[in-house]
Amino acid sequence: MAETEARNSVDQLVELLNDRLKQSEWEILVALAEADGPLTEDELAEATGYTERTVSKRADTLEEHVHGGTLVQRDDDGNPYLHPQFAAAVRQYES
């Protein structure tokens, strides 16, 4: 029951973010969701078509929107990646 409630909450968050995020932030979120692990700014720029500067700013803003830490995390080198359940919810929403 708790797992289902958590999944529903994450799904609702993804839907809310789709409505509130800028297009570039959403595209970065999708790129992170589709990745197998952390992505560098260069890899995010290549995946989204945005400049590294835009990717850097939007990734930080995205992290603020979801309050970072749990859903959007960073590896030891500072590269962002998503919590697996959050990434799965984003991929499902996109399909």
Side-chain angles (χ1 to χ4, degrees):
M1 175 94 171
E3 184 177 320
T4 301
E5 289 176 15
R7 189 176 317 122
N8 289 340
S9 295
V10 172
D11 292 343
Q12 290 172 349
L13 174 62
V14 170
E15 187 174 342
L16 179 66
L17 288 172
N18 185 44
D19 290 337
R20 294 193 176 174
L21 292 178
K22 293 180 180 179
Q23 183 66 30
S24 57
E25 293 165 346
W26 179 256
E27 290 176 8
I28 289 168
L29 180 65
V30 170
L32 288 170
E34 292 173 349
D36 291 332
L39 294 178
T40 64
E41 288 178 2
D42 187 46
E43 291 168 330
L44 276 171
E46 187 176 318
T48 61
Y50 295 106
T51 65
E52 286 183 43
R53 181 174 182 264
T54 297
V55 165
S56 176
K57 291 173 80 174
R58 297 294 182 243
D60 289 344
T61 304
L62 174 62
E63 198 169 1
E64 290 172 15
H65 280 296
V66 296
H67 306 291
T70 303
L71 298 177
V72 178
Q73 303 172 17
R74 295 198 179 250
D75 66 8
D76 293 340
D77 295 323
N79 300 316
Y81 64 98
L82 301 183
H83 182 282
Q85 184 179 359
F86 186 46
V90 172
R91 287 191 305 269
Q92 181 179 353
Y93 187 85
E94 273 293 288
S95 59

